[in-house]
Amino acid sequence: MKRIITMLLVITAVVSAAADDSVKKFRKILSRYDVAPEAIAVPTDNNAAFWNAALGADRNLARLNRDIAKGKGLERKAIDACTKMPKFYPEYNSHVRTDLQPWADSLLATAGLPCDSIATRLYVVDNPRAEAFAPLTEDGFAIVITTGLVYNRGCDDDMLKGIISAQAVHGAMRHQLQFFYDEAKQRRKGKVWSGIAIGALVAADLTLAMTDSDHYDDFSYNDFTYNDFSTTNINVETNGSTLTPVYIYSADQIYQADLWAYRMMERLGKGDSYIRALKLLSPQVAGAETDKESSPCISDRIKFINFVTSQKR
């Protein structure tokens, strides 16, 4: 009996510690990525103004735009990596439901899109899985939802509006470019520390070489390239005219998209619609391909939104 009680106490302690870690993580994400108060204060009959205010006040986006505008070094590498990604060409994609385009345009408009800050268009593609994504295009990004999502039992326009909003955040915040840029910076940081360590080893080598002429080590570096990233292709057709979205987001970017989409719907008095919408998404995809080691599952994303609802602004 004592052994059982001890095991239960240990399990309780582990669960409690995990819950505390989640709260700390969620609090950090909320403080770093929440929508600006001026955007929340925008009248509910003007969703376009909400997006313009939110993006206009976001310091993270402003910093990224300033850095990328330099077009040198790491910035150029991130741009090149993003440029090499497959693009979505709706006019040549056999999956696009052109008969649903008027409805898609109308639905997008109810979400306040496109607007001054976000130039995009919504498309519906034939796919039985409930999915949504924001593939890159020649002039920006598109928002794509599947028939499996649109015709899913229990789905309504408010839920779709929330899902569309999350994808708009990925595109408007330039999450794909930000991901590559952050990776480039991390690689450079790693090389700096590697260089310091290698410098110490070289110094040791030189010292050793004074007494051992046969001792020699060769050090090499791998440059940052697009091919270093793992990507996922979805809906591949053999004829080449396919929707092949490739998108890689960090866990924080997934949470930010959820947060902004929820805020957009919350100000309309329909925040619960976004939580219900998350449950519609395929758990295998959850709207995007993320950094696999830290990819948040649907349950984690719902827990995060529930945490957000418990916090006072």
Side-chain angles (χ1 to χ4, degrees):
M1 179 61 72
K2 290 183 178 180
R3 182 177 297 178
I4 294 176
I5 293 175
T6 300
M7 291 178 62
L8 289 175
L9 289 174
V10 170
I11 292 173
T12 301
V14 171
V15 171
S16 177
D20 289 342
D21 288 343
S22 293
V23 169
K24 291 178 182 178
K25 178 180 68 175
F26 290 162
R27 185 175 290 116
K28 183 178 180 180
I29 293 171
L30 183 60
S31 64
R32 181 178 297 177
Y33 300 112
D34 205 357
V35 177
E38 52 265 44
I40 300 297
V42 169
T44 57
D45 62 348
N46 195 343
N47 288 331
F50 164 81
W51 291 114
N52 290 331
L55 292 168
D58 192 85
R59 295 180 180 179
N60 295 313
L61 179 60
R63 186 183 305 111
L64 174 65
N65 288 337
R66 284 198 306 270
D67 288 349
I68 294 301
K70 299 174 185 177
K72 300 179 180 179
L74 300 181
E75 296 80 19
R76 172 50 55 188
K77 290 180 179 180
I79 293 171
D80 289 345
C82 212
T83 300
K84 293 177 182 178
M85 296 188 69
K87 302 298 187 293
F88 173 51
Y89 300 99
E91 64 271 30
Y92 302 119
N93 193 290
S94 62
H95 295 294
V96 173
R97 290 287 298 272
T98 56
D99 58 315
L100 294 178
Q101 197 57 54
W103 172 82
D105 291 340
S106 177
L107 179 63
L108 188 65
T110 65
L113 301 169
C115 62
D116 293 342
S117 302
I118 305 176
T120 189
R121 196 175 187 188
L122 175 66
Y123 297 93
V124 180
V125 298
D126 273 322
N127 188 326
R129 294 172 59 179
E131 297 178 10
F133 34 88
L136 299 178
T137 62
E138 285 186 319
D139 56 357
F141 72 99
I143 300 173
V144 178
I145 56 178
T146 64
T147 50
L149 177 62
V150 173
Y151 296 125
N152 199 308
R153 185 178 65 178
C155 185
D156 58 38
D157 284 0
D158 286 332
M159 297 164 73
L160 290 173
K161 192 184 304 182
I163 292 174
I164 289 168
S165 296
Q167 298 309 315
V169 175
H170 284 311
M173 290 296 296
R174 309 178 78 181
H175 277 170
Q176 188 63 88
L177 180 61
Q178 179 75 68
F179 182 91
F180 285 131
Y181 188 44
D182 289 344
E183 283 290 311
K185 289 188 290 186
Q186 286 299 319
R187 287 171 183 272
R188 182 178 65 177
K189 184 182 297 184
K191 286 181 180 180
V192 169
W193 284 108
S194 295
I196 293 174
I198 290 170
L201 290 173
V202 169
D205 257 8
L206 291 176
T207 302
L208 183 59
M210 294 178 182
T211 57
D212 184 0
S213 59
D214 293 331
H215 184 81
Y216 178 76
D217 281 327
D218 183 26
F219 301 101
S220 63
Y221 299 90
N222 291 322
D223 198 8
F224 167 87
T225 65
Y226 169 76
N227 292 328
D228 289 328
F229 297 101
S230 61
T231 57
T232 296
N233 295 339
I234 303 172
N235 299 338
V236 177
E237 271 187 347
T238 56
N239 63 8
S241 60
T242 179
L243 169 64
T244 311
V246 181
Y247 35 92
I248 318 172
Y249 304 136
S250 69
D252 277 11
Q253 290 173 337
I254 294 291
Y255 284 126
Q256 182 185 24
D258 286 336
L259 176 59
W260 281 39
Y262 173 75
R263 290 299 192 203
M264 214 285 281
M265 299 306 296
E266 180 188 39
R267 54 184 281 278
L268 300 177
K270 299 178 179 179
D272 63 316
S273 292
Y274 188 65
I275 296 177
R276 291 188 290 114
L278 284 175
K279 298 176 182 179
L280 292 180
L281 297 177
S282 300
Q284 298 90 343
V285 178
E289 174 67 12
T290 65
D291 178 16
K292 292 177 176 58
E293 292 186 359
S294 58
S295 173
C297 63
I298 288 292
S299 295
D300 289 338
R301 294 167 65 183
I302 292 175
K303 287 178 183 177
F304 172 61
I305 296 301
N306 286 332
F307 171 80
V308 172
T309 62
S310 68
Q311 305 298 299
K312 293 183 179 180
R313 287 184 63 88

